Amino acid sequence: MKAVGGVLALTLLAPQAAHAQRPGLPAITPLTMRTGGDVEPARMALRLDHADLTIDVNPDAKTLSGVATLSLTTSAPQSKLLIDLDKNFTVSAISVDGRALPSSAWTNPEGRLSITLARPLRAGAKTVVKITYAGMPHVAIRAPWDDGIVWSKTRDGKPWLSTTAQGYGCDLFWPCLDFPQGEPAAVDLHITVPAGLSAPSNGVLVKKEQLADGRTTWHWRSGSVNPYLVSLNVAPYKEITATYTSRFGNKFPMTYWYLPGRERQAEGLFKEFAPILDFFEANVGPYPWANEKMGVVETPYLGMEHQTINAYGNEYRKDATGFDWLLQHEFAHEWFGNQMTAARWDDFWLHEGYAQYMQPLYGRWREGEARYAVMMEEFRMSIANRAPLISGRNPTSEEVYQDENGGPGGDIYMKGAWILHTLRNTIGDKAFWEVTRRVVYGRPDPLPGNFKPRFSSSDEFIEAVKITTGKDYGWFFDVYLREAALPELLMERGAGRMTLRWKAPKDKPFPLPVEVQVDGVVQLVPMTGGTATLSVPDGAHVVLDPYSRILKRSEAVEAAQRRR
């Protein structure tokens, strides 16, 4: 979740206490602000096999100091390594395969650490790079709509801080490869915090060690984590934990870390964990991180899908749905974003469109079609149609999330959800969920232990629809994903006949069948060639798409949007 419109944008951020360091400082370079996009061949050739991160958090000074040990494999020869790291951190030492480099061997003028190797690497070679760094991290102005660290205070003045990095990337906090395929295959986090504070993070807690000066070091270990989802959370947390028994027969822990004094609210939120898990496992498939945990942590900003430690700052607000949409949305990303990761940001509608669509589907699961329809209508009012959901190029994160940069912005959420709604109503529930499993797990029959984290794309999604249904729906996605404007359903009546015609952008083919209600009787009308003619008595009452199963242009919606 990041820059969004509609329902999400109307939600207030959790309050943050004032602090001495001004938000947005220290300033970062355009290169550090950039995440994703076109990647140089030399950087793309690197794979991060393991990241061992030792991070010392000093809330009083508002600084971080760390040692990052990166185990890398290269598929191409390398004479220097390019590692992303905010230049506000001072690098004091680097070693390669245990050999210290002179300070002249590295530079970092713009936020990309360039390390000249004493011995070039051949294709297929492995190397271990150890980077010692320290400094003052960039402070988020309005997390999670921008990124950085949020330094805050609890009600009794204790430190409370969290990180968020989806837009600007992992290099705000640790030396990394700041593009989707830079995902480390494994991560160890050793987070040292002042006495009395906890540091919940990604994965499994290996151990907690108390140091002689009263501080504690929390050692977490995780499998594949998206680079921007490696997370720091520090506060005097209390926790609730329980064991979840999956419908697949396995068990794993559920844990919520919350601020003291909010026990009643925390217990209420925790009661939602198991029902939400069951919804996803019943419809999508096994929880992907059952060998680690389902984890949520209270944060001083709204939220983010940090793998196995989702950030939650919705102030325990529920609406008429009876569940906390923020908790449910971020948890959806454990499947759509964390298990299945878009190979490039141009396909990020798969993350956010699916995660957004899970809220009305959960409402339907709990209460039926009326709740689903109300929630979908809220989403519909937020669709802007200013840019296609996919551009066909390799944009950066900000170029996707911010419509002022020409991207689809909030449409990757709301329009993405409505495209999935239209697809489900076109191919049916059974096929829809099979398509979803193929994209998420890479197979239609996921079971605990028979799948791994994977990258996916819009093209693979379209192919999954074809494999599942036996039909080519390329025309469907060509209009909905690659065009900004929506298809329009036109109707003409006269002399006992009614003609329907789809008017798609650029006159593209769009033979989507349409339900038509004539005097209370509903029939599904094939639109071969994008048109159909029916015999309809003069004076008959006609409703097109009476159950609103299709995303299409609506002059009424456009007029209402203009009045906002």
Side-chain angles (χ1 to χ4, degrees), residues 360-422:
L361 284 175
Y362 188 48
R364 180 176 179 248
W365 172 264
R366 288 164 52 91
E367 296 184 72
E369 296 295 342
R371 176 64 62 199
Y372 174 85
V374 168
M375 297 176 74
M376 290 303 299
E377 181 61 21
E378 288 187 53
F379 293 178
R380 180 66 183 86
M381 289 298 297
S382 298
I383 299 174
N385 301 310
R386 295 192 187 98
L389 289 195
I390 60 176
S391 64
R393 56 187 184 87
N394 192 8
T396 66
S397 168
E398 296 297 283
E399 288 172 332
V400 172
Y401 274 100
Q402 296 183 358
D403 51 18
E404 61 264 33
N405 289 331
D411 275 4
I412 64 174
Y413 295 78
M414 309 305 181
K415 188 172 183 177
W418 261 87
I419 290 170
L420 294 171
H421 163 80
T422 305

Side-chain angles (χ1 to χ4, degrees), residues 16-28 59-62 88 136-143 146-152:
Q16 298 178 26
H19 44 74
Q21 185 182 352
R22 284 193 298 148
L25 295 177
I28 55 177
D60 291 335
K62 295 183 170 57
N88 287 302
M136 184 174 287
H138 180 72
V139 175
I141 298 172
R142 190 170 176 256
D146 76 329
D147 296 301
I149 197 164
V150 178
W151 303 101
S152 189

Side-chain angles (χ1 to χ4, degrees), residues 338-360:
N338 301 347
Q339 161 60 29
M340 179 278 295
T341 303
R344 59 182 191 171
W345 287 92
D346 202 33
D347 297 313
F348 237 62
W349 76 275
L350 287 169
H351 290 207
E352 301 296 4
Y354 255 113
Q356 193 70 21
Y357 191 40
M358 291 301 113
Q359 279 95 83

Side-chain angles (χ1 to χ4, degrees), residues 443-513:
R443 58 190 302 161
D445 57 347
L447 292 171
N450 74 356
F451 60 88
K452 294 180 180 180
R454 63 192 308 273
F455 291 101
S456 190
S457 66
S458 298
D459 287 342
E460 186 189 48
F461 178 77
I462 295 167
E463 183 64 19
V465 174
K466 183 178 181 180
I467 291 170
T468 301
T469 64
K471 298 179 181 178
D472 187 349
Y473 282 91
W475 54 268
F476 180 99
F477 297 105
D478 197 34
V479 168
Y480 278 131
L481 295 180
R482 296 185 175 90
E483 298 293 336
L486 294 176
E488 185 175 6
L489 184 58
L490 305 178
M491 176 180 68
E492 294 181 0
R493 290 184 64 179
R497 299 174 71 80
M498 179 176 71
T499 299
L500 300 177
R501 181 173 66 86
W502 279 113
K503 181 182 178 184
K506 300 177 183 174
D507 292 324
K508 289 185 173 182
F510 196 72
L512 184 66

Side-chain angles (χ1 to χ4, degrees), residues 252-312:
F252 52 89
M254 305 180 296
T255 305
Y256 178 46
W257 286 267
Y258 65 95
L259 294 186
R262 298 186 176 185
E263 284 76 11
R264 179 183 57 81
Q265 299 96 318
E267 288 170 1
L269 188 76
F270 188 72
K271 288 179 181 178
E272 295 191 48
F273 283 25
I276 289 174
L277 264 166
D278 188 56
F279 162 75
F280 281 103
E281 289 208 321
N283 291 284
V284 184
Y287 178 58
W289 314 106
N291 61 334
E292 297 182 6
K293 68 177 182 299
M294 174 192 178
V296 180
V297 60
E298 189 171 4
T299 55
Y301 65 86
L302 185 59
M304 183 55 65
E305 64 268 20
H306 296 144
Q307 187 169 303
T308 73
I309 190 68
N310 285 316
Y312 174 84

